[in-house]
């Protein structure tokens, strides 16, 4: 079965297949025949089971499924509104959901490792839509697709990544993914207390990926081809979360290369000044838009349409 659990399961060859299909779907959308011509999963059903808040991931998966002809069953806030509140285990919930014949289950959960636990008992593919502080593989795929679309390559890039590298699953997944391509160098920007964990550090070393850790924002911005920013993940702190100190505003944009791009998985809280939105290098809204197309291709891949 083709689950989507983490980014290490995707190699560059498979990714280029998925991205090829993504850009095909995207160009169909732009053509006159428009959206409604991808009905490859008509009559199938997708469950969107979300234990944590989401806007983009949940809605873009639902939209992706819709344009592929699928029915969607959604549970938002499953932590409170599912039987989890009565004490049901994730494993039992997944076993029950499988009885209703979904084709695929998209799962966002607050615990790291939850997607794998679900996959271990599921009779249908599980797509990890974020497992606590673990990974967010579909986000990383859409991030890399966006990088490729803008920069024309996925290797030989200098990528500045910030700011809560300890807790952010999107920055983690992106680092794991960029490490699969040659000659990428990562400039990891964060306060000392929010640096990457040892698991990711060991992986980067093992892969021979060039990376440096710094708290110097201006230095990182001046060197990067891609700047990937993400908020402080305040929900992952047991005590009080620190204030955001790495804010990208107009003065920081002046430091960035003229052909660099600024990305963010969003939501934006305080990490990017809205005045930056009009700068053509700020592509976070297009990035979010790409999410639907990548997820359409992924739904086709997990269901073995290609
Ligand atoms: C991210 C997440 O949920 O990890 N959001 C998203 O899916 N685009 C990033 C975040 O919440 O900061």
């Amino acid at each position: 079965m083709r689950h989507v659990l983490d980014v290490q399961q995707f190699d560059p060859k498979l990714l280029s297949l998925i991205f090829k299909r993504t850009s095909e779907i995207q160009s169909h959308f732009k053509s006159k025949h428009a959206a409604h011509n991808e009905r490859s999963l008509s009559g199938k059903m997708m469950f969107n089971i979300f234990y944590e808040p989401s806007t983009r991931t949940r809605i873009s998966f639902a939209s992706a499924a819709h344009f592929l002809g699928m029915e969607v069953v959604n549970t938002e806030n499953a932590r409170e509104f599912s039987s989890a509140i009565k004490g049901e285990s994730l494993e039992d919930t997944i076993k029950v959901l499988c009885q209703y014949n979904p084709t695929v289950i998209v799962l966002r959960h607050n615990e790291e490792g939850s997607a794998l636990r679900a996959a271990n008992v599921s009779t249908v593919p599980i797509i990890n839509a974020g497992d606590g502080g673990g990974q967010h593989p579909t986000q990383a795929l859409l991030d890399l697709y966006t990088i490729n679309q803008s920069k024309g390559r996925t290797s030989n890039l200098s990528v500045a990544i910030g700011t809560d590298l300890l807790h952010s699953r999107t920055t983690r997944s992106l680092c794991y993914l960029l490490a699969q391509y040659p000659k990428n160098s990562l400039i990891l920007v964060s306060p000392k207390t929010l640096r990457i964990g040892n698991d990711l550090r060991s992986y980067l070393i093992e892969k021979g990926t060039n990376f440096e850790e710094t708290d110097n924002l201006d230095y990182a911005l001046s060197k990067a081809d891609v700047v990937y920013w993400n908020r402080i993940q305040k929900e992952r702190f047991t005590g009080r979360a620190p204030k955001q100190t790495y804010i990208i505003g107009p003065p920081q944009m002046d430091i960035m290369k003229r052909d660099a791009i600024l990305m963010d998985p969003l939501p934006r809280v305080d990490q990017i000044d809205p005045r930056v939105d009009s700068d053509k290098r700020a592509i976070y809204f297009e990035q979010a838009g790409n999410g639907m197309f990548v997820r359409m291709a992924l739904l086709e891949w997990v269901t073995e349409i290609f």
Side-chain angles (χ1 to χ4, degrees), residues 10-80:
F10 294 97
D11 59 23
K13 206 167 142 211
L14 175 55
L15 285 171
S16 80
L17 260 183
I18 293 171
F19 291 167
K20 185 166 162 265
R21 179 61 186 140
T22 303
S23 65
E24 220 171 77
I25 292 172
Q26 194 167 22
S27 53
H28 287 178
F29 258 70
K30 286 196 186 131
S31 78
K32 282 210 183 69
H33 310 293
H36 306 279
N37 51 7
E38 313 287 341
R39 309 293 296 179
S40 53
L41 287 168
S42 156
K44 312 275 189 200
M45 179 165 60
M46 184 185 89
F47 286 171
N48 233 354
I49 310 295
F50 278 62
Y51 288 74
E52 278 194 334
S54 171
T55 302
R56 278 149 290 276
T57 308
R58 193 169 56 81
I59 306 289
S60 67
F61 259 116
S63 310
H66 166 80
F67 286 125
L68 293 172
M70 301 178 91
E71 296 292 326
V72 179
V73 176
N74 258 306
T75 300
E76 298 173 53
N77 202 356
R79 228 157 139 185
E80 281 177 50

Side-chain angles (χ1 to χ4, degrees), residues 8 45 83-84 91 96 145 154 156 200 220-221 251 287:
Q8 296 92 307
M45 179 165 60
S83 286
E91 283 80 356
V96 170
Y145 177 78
T154 49
N156 198 17
L200 175 56
L221 295 179
Q287 177 190 353

